[in-house]
Amino acid sequence: MKENELSLYQGFLATPSLWTTILHEVPQFNFPTCNLKTFTPKPIPNNLRIGHRIEYVFEQLLAHHKAFHIYASNIAIRNKERTLGELDFIVKEKGTERVLHIELTYKFYVILPGDSSIWNRMIGPNKKDSFASKLHKIKTGQFPLLAHEETKPLLEQHKLNVENITQCVCFKAQVFAPYHHQKINIEDLNPASVCGFWMNTYDFINTDFNNYLFYIPKKYEWPIIPFEEVTWQTFDFITKALNVYMKDQMSPMLWIREPNGNIIKIFVVWW
């Protein structure tokens, strides 16, 4: 795949906030509109995991926007014995002089079918994380860290008062509905976050995809907006490739090119 150097930044900006105002006392920082015509990205190290790549993207876009001053980013807070946690970004809105502590999150969730709250049914495609646990961690771990005794030297260095800092999240997510229940109530979350569906291998093999083409993006490509110029594979080829992922208990994302040229995103889960 020939990746446009701006594709990750475009994908980040195109990904909706998972909610748009305040959700259970957690305010959302909705990333402002950003003009990329004059933006020249700095290289991102190839060996970084997707979360760290997104941190590079966020910081570069924030600096490019000119409406913000970045005091500090990705600051590890330590005492003498151990690392207590990390503050993602402390920034100032130049227009309002507001100081913000922004925790950055970019996630991929599949929605499990069921009748309970959607909060409890949104999990990572590999079943290794969940929305409910992440929100709990933000409220009970990452936000309280700002007022911790060990954070005081950082704030004093920038002449900041913890009582004058507004805490919020930039929480973006791509959400995938169950294949058999695609019309789903997203409750108090942002419906624009639902961008595709997920299915297991049995459903994938038994769905009429014979006239479709497929591409399995690398994980660092997951945020990217799908485009035409990739090496598309046939249904037979992709089903064989999926067997390897299933044996390794990994749930790949697929781009599917429909006969009319439309490209959709799905997950095929191993479980």
Side-chain angles (χ1 to χ4, degrees):
M1 169 181 167
K2 294 182 179 179
E3 182 182 349
N4 182 311
E5 65 175 0
L6 292 178
S7 59
L8 187 58
Y9 301 85
Q10 292 165 338
F12 175 83
L13 291 171
T15 303
S17 300
L18 188 53
W19 64 95
T20 55
T21 52
I22 300 174
L23 185 72
H24 275 231
E25 302 177 348
V26 179
Q28 181 74 250
F29 173 82
N30 293 295
F31 203 96
T33 302
C34 198
N35 184 358
L36 297 183
K37 290 182 178 179
T38 58
F39 174 64
T40 302
K42 299 176 183 178
I44 298 176
N46 292 326
N47 60 341
L48 291 183
R49 299 176 67 176
I50 188 169
H52 292 136
R53 293 171 71 87
I54 292 296
E55 288 174 356
Y56 269 79
V57 168
F58 182 89
E59 184 165 6
Q60 289 192 49
L61 290 176
L62 207 61
H64 170 70
H65 197 274
K66 308 299 183 186
F68 301 92
H69 170 73
I70 302 174
Y71 286 113
S73 62
N74 303 316
I75 319 103
I77 305 300
R78 301 182 176 91
N79 61 18
K80 294 180 180 180
E81 299 176 354
R82 62 188 179 91
T83 299
L84 303 174
E86 185 177 276
L87 300 176
D88 285 351
F89 295 91
I90 298 178
V91 307
K92 179 175 71 175
E93 283 183 331
K94 294 180 180 179
T96 64
E97 296 294 309
R98 268 202 322 164
V99 179
L100 307 174
H101 164 217
I102 305 172
E103 284 296 316
L104 174 64
T105 301
Y106 193 107
K107 289 290 187 179
F108 299 85
Y109 290 125
V110 299
I111 304 173
L112 299 176
D115 297 323
S116 64
S117 169
I118 197 168
W119 292 39
N120 299 318
R121 294 187 285 120
M122 289 173 53
I123 65 171
N126 287 311
K127 281 192 166 182
K128 292 183 178 179
D129 61 336
S130 71
F131 172 60
S133 63
K134 181 59 180 177
L135 195 65
H136 178 74
K137 181 180 178 183
I138 290 170
K139 293 178 66 175
T140 63
Q142 291 168 277
F143 276 6
L145 187 61
L146 183 70
H148 199 280
E149 185 70 22
E150 303 298 334
T151 308
K152 282 185 178 180
L154 170 70
L155 301 181
E156 290 172 354
Q157 175 186 343
H158 297 287
K159 299 179 180 180
L160 298 175
N161 186 333
V162 66
E163 295 180 359
N164 297 328
I165 299 176
T166 300
Q167 302 205 83
C168 55
V169 294
C170 180
F171 199 127
K172 288 174 171 277
Q174 296 187 30
V175 179
F176 295 78
Y179 176 60
H180 294 295
H181 306 277
Q182 293 185 45
K183 292 184 179 179
I184 199 161
N185 179 12
I186 203 75
E187 297 177 14
D188 43 6
L189 301 179
N190 183 1
S193 296
V194 180
C195 62
F197 61 86
W198 66 271
M199 61 201 315
N200 58 31
T201 50
Y202 176 84
D203 284 334
F204 182 81
I205 293 170
N206 288 281
T207 300
D208 186 11
F209 282 135
N210 283 310
N211 294 323
Y212 294 64
L213 295 174
F214 306 85
Y215 174 71
I216 302 179
K218 302 289 191 299
K219 193 166 184 178
Y220 65 82
E221 298 169 343
W222 285 5
I224 293 172
I225 301 167
F227 58 93
E228 182 69 35
E229 293 79 17
V230 298
T231 303
W232 296 103
Q233 305 291 353
T234 64
F235 179 73
D236 288 341
F237 180 96
I238 219 71
T239 52
K240 293 176 183 177
L242 285 175
N243 286 335
V244 177
Y245 285 90
M246 300 303 114
K247 289 178 181 177
D248 292 338
Q249 296 190 346
M250 297 174 63
S251 302
M253 176 186 285
L254 266 65
W255 295 359
I256 302 181
R257 186 182 183 278
E258 298 175 324
N260 63 6
N262 185 46
I263 302 173
I264 60 175
K265 283 183 175 184
I266 77 164
F267 273 102
V268 179
V269 299
W270 63 265
W271 33 274

